[in-house]
Amino acid sequence: MQCTKCGNPKVIIKKEQSGQMLCKDCFIDSIEKKVIKTVKKEQLLDKGDKVLVALSGGKDSVTVLEILNSFRKRNIIDICAVTVDEGIDNYRQDGVDIAIRHAERLGIEHKVVSLKDTYGITLDEIMQKDNHKGSCTYCGVFRRTIINKAAREMGATKIATGHNLDDEVQAILMNYLEGNTNNLGKLGAKTESKAEEFTVKIKPLREIPEREIGLYVVAKELEVHFDSCPYAMQSFRGEVSQAINDLAENHPTIKYSTLRGYDKIKPLFKGEFKPNYSQGRCKRCGEPSSNELCKACSFLEELGV
Ligand code: SF4
Ligand code: ZN
Ligand code: ZN
């Protein structure tokens, strides 16, 4: 067995989609080229952008930071980063420490923002409440709000997240399965909102399978936080992820075909079901919201915080 590209006998991967066998260097090169291709095809970056990387310290966000840094080195963009500390004992601190080290290594502006300092409660404390709705429901909403605020405070023009192919396919299927037709017009490599206060979000890793990102960080010897969140498997997303991975065992290209199929029908969803863009303001915190209270504040009220 030898590398399809250069003939090196030390093959480290057989690619799911193309069936190519690649050695370490050709694999690293293939991932970086594919991400750069997505950036160009989807027009994710403009010269002079200041991109805020949502940096958890996990493999996905570290990979986004690493690859976008090649644009920064060429003076095309500037980069800053934010790490959200949700307050999950025996899990989050390691990721925060790793994020700090990457930001220092690259010399980028970075801040860590905790749920506790922002909202007065940690995710673990929320999970002690009898009326909680599941960890990921709160985690996603609070994290999004914190990252949006950080983007405004740091003057970022884009927010880059580490969503990979698996994440995107899970989101597509979850929205189908839950009948969230409005959300089905909003997924994609670049999400925009009509509210000025929301910064454009980009997903440079949208076409890279999770497994390949794991291999990329190992091949590049990047320090990452590999542990899984203790709440991960309790979620609907966890169940959907398991189901897709089971199907992919016998149908290796199913994730790509789901993504491609969605991209083709997205314009129909967009036209038929108007996405719910926030138009007013939350009366409690002032963030953009279509209702009296934004999602984060209505959760806080329910939780009595
Ligand atoms: Fe948050 Fe859920 Fe992800 Fe854990 S699995 S970090 S609770 S969204
Ligand atoms: Zn090679
Ligand atoms: Zn609010």
Side-chain angles (χ1 to χ4, degrees):
M1 223 169 37
Q2 58 182 35
C3 174
T4 318
K5 294 226 163 148
C6 74
N8 183 335
K10 282 196 188 153
V11 165
I12 62 162
I13 188 173
K14 179 179 181 208
K15 300 271 270 182
E16 279 173 26
Q17 191 189 15
S18 60
Q20 275 182 332
M21 310 280 197
L22 296 178
C23 71
K24 185 168 116 177
D25 289 345
C26 291
F27 170 69
I28 290 173
D29 193 50
S30 78
I31 295 289
E32 293 177 349
K33 282 199 174 125
K34 194 164 173 188
V35 175
I36 291 168
K37 196 173 154 196
T38 302
V39 167
K40 289 189 176 154
K41 181 179 76 178
E42 306 281 353
Q43 300 178 320
L44 301 187
L45 297 175
D46 294 304
K47 189 165 170 49
D49 266 337
K50 181 172 182 183
V51 181
L52 174 82
V53 175
L55 184 64
S56 67
K59 64 185 185 328
D60 305 305
S61 61
V62 168
T63 298
V64 167
L65 182 67
E66 184 70 12
I67 301 181
L68 288 188
N69 196 47
S70 65
F71 290 88
R72 174 176 168 254
K73 282 199 274 194
R74 286 183 286 144
N75 289 320
I76 298 171
I77 59 167
D78 192 10
I79 296 182
C80 55
V82 64
T83 304
V84 179
D85 177 356
E86 304 92 349
I88 305 173
D89 251 8
N90 297 320
Y91 167 68
R92 175 45 70 215
Q93 194 54 48
D94 289 351
V96 169
D97 293 342
I98 289 169
I100 292 171
R101 286 198 282 276
H102 279 295
E104 280 174 2
R105 172 177 69 89
L106 300 174
I108 59 166
E109 183 188 358
H110 175 227
K111 64 168 149 184
V112 180
V113 185
S114 72
L115 243 70
K116 185 78 176 173
D117 288 345
T118 313
Y119 298 113
I121 191 164
T122 65
L123 196 62
D124 283 341
E125 286 163 359
I126 292 176
M127 293 306 285
Q128 302 295 319
K129 303 251 179 192
D130 293 336
N131 62 340
H132 77 74
K133 292 177 165 166
S135 54
C136 305
T137 309
Y138 301 103
C139 189
V141 167
F142 290 142
R143 191 173 38 208
R144 238 185 346 262
T145 312
I146 288 174
I147 291 171
N148 268 315
K149 267 196 207 165
R152 287 201 305 272
E153 286 163 11
M154 296 168 97
T157 50
K158 304 260 165 71
I159 295 170
T161 61
H163 289 90
N164 58 44
L165 175 67
D166 295 57
D167 296 324
E168 193 74 345
V169 170
Q170 287 155 20
I172 292 167
L173 286 186
M174 284 165 67
N175 282 307
Y176 274 124
L177 296 172
E178 291 179 321
N180 290 334
T181 44
N182 288 330
N183 281 353
L184 281 166
K186 289 204 259 187
L187 302 171
K190 189 175 177 183
T191 50
E192 302 190 29
S193 164
K194 294 236 166 76
E196 262 178 28
E197 292 85 349
F198 283 134
T199 310
V200 172
K201 293 205 178 65
I202 57 171
K203 300 175 192 162
L205 306 185
R206 184 179 185 251
E207 302 201 21
I208 313 285
E210 181 170 18
R211 177 176 92 99
E212 295 188 12
I213 296 170
L215 194 55
Y216 175 81
V217 294
V218 172
K220 290 269 291 195
E221 297 177 20
L222 292 167
E223 186 192 15
V224 300
H225 185 215
F226 262 122
D227 294 351
S228 311
C229 170
Y231 298 122
M233 284 319 280
Q234 294 175 14
S235 66
F236 181 50
R237 183 180 279 273
E239 294 175 58
V240 171
S241 161
Q242 187 64 51
I244 300 167
N245 284 334
D246 289 347
L247 283 169
E249 294 249 325
N250 289 334
H251 310 275
T253 57
I254 204 162
K255 293 174 190 170
Y256 286 104
S257 57
T258 306
L259 190 82
R260 299 278 172 254
Y262 168 74
D263 285 349
K264 282 186 199 151
I265 53 171
K266 178 181 166 181
L268 299 178
F269 278 110
K270 241 177 137 173
E272 191 69 21
F273 306 102
K274 294 275 170 271
N276 293 325
Y277 289 123
S278 312
Q279 275 159 359
R281 272 176 191 287
C282 170
K283 69 170 189 197
R284 178 168 157 160
C285 73
E287 286 292 304
S289 168
S290 359
N291 302 312
E292 269 202 357
L293 287 179
C294 70
K295 204 88 188 145
C297 289
S298 65
F299 284 153
L300 292 170
E301 300 250 322
E302 278 169 27
L303 294 164
V305 182

